[in-house]
Amino acid sequence: MIRFYDVTKVYPNGTEALKTVRFRVPEKKFTFLTGPSGSGKTTIIKIVLCIEAATSGSVIVGGRNLAAVRRPTVPYLRRNIGVIWQDFKLLDSRTVFDNVAIALEILGASRKEIQTRVTAMLERLGLLQYKNERPLSLSGGEQQRVSIARALVNRPTILLADEPTGNLDPERTFDIIRLLQEVNEQGTTVLVATHDPMILEAFDYPILSLRDGEVTTSPRPLAADLEEEP
Amino acid sequence: MLYRALYFLREALKNVRYSKFPTLAAIGTIAISLVLLWVFALLLRHGAKLEQHVNQSMAMFVYLRSATSDAEIKRLATTVRSWQDVRRVRVVGLAEARKESRRLLSPQEAQGLKLSDIPALPYLEVHLTGKQRTRDDYDRIRDAVEAIKKEKAVHSVAYGEREVRLIQAALDVARFLGWTIAIIIAIASVYFTFSTIRLAVYARQEEIEILKLIGATNLFIRLPFYLEGFLQGRAGGLGALLLLKIVENRFLSYLSDVHRLSEGVALTGLGESLYVVGGGILLGMLGSFLSTRRFLRV
Ligand SMILES: Nc1ncnc2c1ncn2[C@@H]1O[C@H](COP(=O)(O)OP(=O)(O)OP(=O)(O)O)[C@@H](O)[C@H]1O
Ligand SMILES: [Mg+2]
């Protein structure tokens, strides 16, 4: 579960990215996060991941108040959160296989386990034939799937996706969302940031809508627990 | 376990690929600084021996007037023996001193001379202890010498103090310069490793960012860089060992051919080799530790 309670975020240059934001992403549910460019979607993802700290208010992720998390424990927190980044963040100095394997290397997984789990994940995403290629030699959609494979390979409890369908054609877009749906059905909390109205139209999940750093009345209001006091 | 070790090793070696020339320079300076440190350590050891030797062979001659009675000579000898820095006192009476002087004359010169005609003074041959002396020691000896000079029976005192002090001063200067140079070069070698690893950190900035985002711990991110410092230091240490072997061969033959010396510059023992390689590892690790602390903030 992710809960933001009266969170504000002011960047050092004075930009007010979030203004008293209050919402809740229920556990094991699928939620959309939408809003125009600059409304604060990526900021929310960065706060959940402890890349940025909230200026005020409290953020609770998986039962932990992030204000109380000490720096050395941040890596362990991040391991439970898979992230699909807007710009993929893949390493061209490594093969597709190694890009996915790195998420298991950092956990100290054995060679055998890495071999089987990465192979299975690449197969599931239809990437097995590219396992020895460098990411930059793949198409945008394929790179997107490599970043999804890396986010999923260590079975995180939370999956955050920042514009995962950013530059895909409609058919691939639906494929990706269906894949995330599948992941959610297996018990992962999924939060997808998107400003693609077609997706919001096609999938019937709660929508958290932002505008200028504030939660607005969404076209399809979230469950009542969104307004619930902590 | 082995797989993990191999992972870090592979990452460390990747770093070398980003900066071949700086890596070589770092290894080279580590090797040179170790060689210099080692040579200075040897010189110091031999310098200390030389100093002790000079001190030990240092003698003082207390010449007495020819009319001094045996009882008086004995009394003065006892006084001198009681000095803290004296190891041994040999008493040379007038008759013996004359015999010694006659030995210095050529047979023609000695011809027809009676022993009592030969000019000579009885004297005390004073041998000092071999310990290293401080300024206080020298002051004390000088005070004692001044005191004994005031005795009526004492004619003069010959004492090669100045020469010994000169040797000591020369050794002190050599020691100071040696350490200064060695330390400067050691610092330079740490700096070379430091900047090589900084280059690797910069080259891998993007990768480090991503590793952080997916939850890698500080240690996981830093370990390849520590390992790189370790490998550089070890390579420098092995290089120094090789250089020292060459120096040793050349130097020993120089010492025996030119100076007819067979001083041990020994670098044969396994223990000593380990010191050299260990020293290299220490320098390399220090460089990588400082560099990751400064440039790899996680
Ligand atoms: N590091 C930063 N420093 C200063 N301002 C920032 C920083 N990151 C984001 N901002 C500002 O904060 C606001 C919210 O940015 P954010 O990236 O969260 O928006 P977004 O909803 O993800 O937009 P997009 O849809 O374009 O990705 C914007 O006005 C942006 O310029
Ligand atoms: Mg964004």
Side-chain angles (χ1 to χ4, degrees), chain A residues 51 71 75-76 78-79 85 89-91 93-94 102-103 105-106 108 111 114 150, chain B residues 3-4 7 10-11 14 18 204 206-207 210-217 220 298:
Chain A
I51 297 168
R71 277 180 73 82
Y76 301 97
R78 288 181 182 165
R79 290 173 185 187
W85 296 95
K89 295 198 194 295
L90 298 175
L91 287 168
S93 58
R94 296 173 193 247
I102 190 71
E105 307 261 20
I106 60 159
R111 182 203 192 94
I114 291 175
R150 186 185 61 197
Chain B
Y3 176 65
R4 298 213 79 193
Y7 170 84
R10 206 170 56 223
E11 294 301 310
K14 260 193 214 169
Y18 290 117
R204 307 186 74 170
E206 192 197 2
E207 192 165 352
I210 291 174
L211 281 172
K212 281 190 219 169
L213 290 180
I214 63 178
T217 55
F220 184 92
V298 279

Side-chain angles (χ1 to χ4, degrees), chain B residues 42-55:
Chain B
L42 281 178
L43 287 181
L44 281 190
R45 217 165 61 196
H46 285 288
K49 268 192 214 159
L50 173 67
E51 200 172 12
Q52 194 186 11
H53 180 75
V54 166
N55 276 337

Side-chain angles (χ1 to χ4, degrees), chain A residues 43-206:
Chain A
T43 301
I44 285 177
I45 287 175
K46 285 182 174 168
I47 289 174
V48 171
L49 219 56
C50 295
I51 297 168
E52 294 287 348
T55 308
S56 68
S58 61
V59 179
I60 291 160
V61 176
R64 305 184 70 150
N65 187 338
L66 296 191
V69 169
R70 291 180 311 115
R71 277 180 73 82
T73 53
V74 168
Y76 301 97
L77 207 88
R78 288 181 182 165
R79 290 173 185 187
N80 292 321
I81 306 173
V83 183
I84 302 163
W85 296 95
Q86 216 164 350
D87 56 354
F88 314 145
K89 295 198 194 295
L90 298 175
L91 287 168
D92 207 52
S93 58
R94 296 173 193 247
T95 62
V96 166
F97 185 96
D98 286 343
N99 264 282
V100 178
I102 190 71
L104 296 174
E105 307 261 20
I106 60 159
L107 304 177
S110 73
R111 182 203 192 94
K112 206 171 130 234
E113 192 180 0
I114 291 175
Q115 192 67 39
T116 47
R117 279 171 72 176
V118 173
T119 307
M121 188 52 70
L122 290 177
E123 178 139 43
R124 184 170 164 199
L125 291 168
L127 290 166
L128 207 50
Q129 71 266 40
Y130 303 124
K131 70 176 185 154
N132 293 321
E133 305 286 334
R134 301 281 158 155
L136 283 187
S137 68
L138 306 181
S139 74
E142 286 155 354
Q143 290 182 43
Q144 182 71 281
R145 279 182 283 153
V146 176
S147 86
I148 294 173
R150 186 185 61 197
L152 293 179
V153 75
N154 67 353
R155 302 181 188 125
T157 52
I158 297 173
L159 182 67
L160 307 175
D162 198 0
E163 306 284 359
T165 58
N167 33 26
L168 298 183
D169 55 58
E171 196 181 324
R172 296 226 176 279
T173 299
F174 285 108
D175 281 349
I176 296 283
I177 301 295
R178 269 193 290 269
L179 179 75
L180 300 182
Q181 250 182 322
E182 220 177 276
V183 171
N184 170 245
E185 277 154 20
Q186 287 163 8
T188 301
T189 308
V190 177
L191 179 67
V192 179
T194 180
H195 52 212
D196 185 346
M198 200 178 66
I199 296 178
L200 300 174
E201 198 82 1
F203 295 88
D204 189 26
Y205 288 118

Side-chain angles (χ1 to χ4, degrees), chain B residues 34-48 178-179 182:
Chain B
L34 288 171
V35 168
L36 286 178
L37 280 171
W38 190 261
V39 168
F40 286 135
L42 281 178
L43 287 181
L44 281 190
R45 217 165 61 196
H46 285 288
W179 281 121

